[in-house]
Amino acid sequence: MDKNIVLIGFMGTGKSAIGQRLARKLGLSFVDTDREIEELTGKSIPMLFKNYGEKRFRSEEKLLVARLGKRRNQVIACGGGTVLEPENREILQRNGVLIWVDAEPEDVFRRVRRKRQKRPLLKKGLTLEQVHRMMEKRKPYYEGADFRINTSRSSIEDVVNLIINKLEERSHEDGQS
Ligand code: S3P
């Protein structure tokens, strides 16, 4: 398989940690879109949002996705909002398998609350109810993935193995059709 493996899903579901481990295990290169944007701009995500606004961040994200779409054999961990942009979704889908990394709202809330400062879209005093609502709103964008994996009750290692099994199943099915 030379397609990219693209992890999409809400903040705090574990895309980056899983992507890193998955790439290492499969011997593929790993790109975390947020980290890459930070490298390219020389600014942290919160700084980018604060000084230049979300619009600038989204345009950096779009430029990066356009470049990543030309490469293969990489695991890409997307930011939670990357696939909200139809053009990004289309590019990523063209030569990638999209995996929706999901988790229970309670777990997401617990994880993002600790690192709220790193996520400019999450305001002070964030509640579980707000996280729940945001996740519901984002759902239609993630549902277009090839498959979904829930990270709430499994270790990173188990999730990675599950993804590898699913990918093998899929390539086997493709080979048969
Ligand atoms: C965002 C998610 C963040 C980051 C930015 C916006 C979003 O990435 O791209 O703060 O719109 O959901 P993570 O999903 O890695 O936290």
Side-chain angles (χ1 to χ4, degrees):
M1 189 174 100
D2 67 352
K3 276 189 161 190
N4 294 324
I5 301 169
V6 185
L7 307 182
I8 64 168
F10 201 75
M11 297 171 254
T13 49
K15 295 172 298 235
S16 302
I18 291 161
Q20 215 160 7
R21 194 79 65 96
L22 183 64
R24 205 182 312 140
K25 206 152 181 179
L26 295 176
L28 302 176
S29 54
F30 174 65
V31 186
D32 183 302
T33 59
D34 287 343
R35 297 296 82 75
E36 192 75 10
I37 291 168
E38 291 186 327
E39 289 243 328
L40 289 167
T41 59
K43 291 171 185 64
S44 68
I45 303 292
M47 268 302 164
L48 259 178
F49 269 72
K50 189 164 177 261
N51 296 348
Y52 304 94
E54 180 174 356
K55 211 167 155 199
R56 165 77 190 278
F57 169 75
R58 295 299 173 198
S59 79
E60 294 289 345
E61 195 174 42
K62 212 167 161 184
L63 281 173
L64 174 63
V65 169
R67 277 205 287 122
L68 294 177
K70 294 187 183 127
R71 297 195 227 138
R72 281 164 189 265
N73 282 313
Q74 40 181 1
V75 175
I76 305 172
C78 292
T82 311
V83 291
L84 268 62
E85 165 61 50
E87 213 172 304
N88 289 347
R89 219 163 44 229
E90 203 182 293
I91 292 172
L92 293 167
Q93 250 158 358
R94 212 176 295 149
N95 62 352
V97 180
L98 263 61
I99 304 172
W100 174 11
V101 180
D102 199 15
E104 301 308 321
E106 290 75 12
D107 296 311
V108 168
F109 179 60
R110 191 170 34 78
R111 292 180 198 161
V112 296
R113 203 162 46 156
R114 272 186 278 130
K115 295 185 180 169
R116 196 189 52 79
Q117 258 84 339
K118 287 187 171 181
R119 296 183 164 104
L121 293 183
L122 304 177
K123 304 289 173 237
K124 218 172 154 190
L126 180 79
T127 63
L128 172 59
E129 186 49 41
Q130 284 168 334
V131 168
H132 214 297
R133 239 181 292 136
M134 284 175 85
M135 288 179 80
E136 280 301 312
K137 229 169 143 183
R138 290 279 179 94
K139 218 172 177 175
Y141 299 96
Y142 303 141
E143 272 170 346
D146 293 282
F147 58 90
R148 170 185 184 179
I149 222 113
N150 191 304
T151 63
S152 267
R153 272 170 287 277
S154 315
S155 66
I156 293 178
E157 202 54 38
D158 287 347
V159 171
V160 166
N161 290 333
L162 217 72
I163 291 177
I164 292 174
N165 287 343
K166 288 243 192 197
L167 290 171
E168 276 170 1
E169 258 172 47
R170 285 177 61 87
S171 68
H172 186 65
E173 282 163 16
D174 287 350
Q176 281 182 339
S177 59

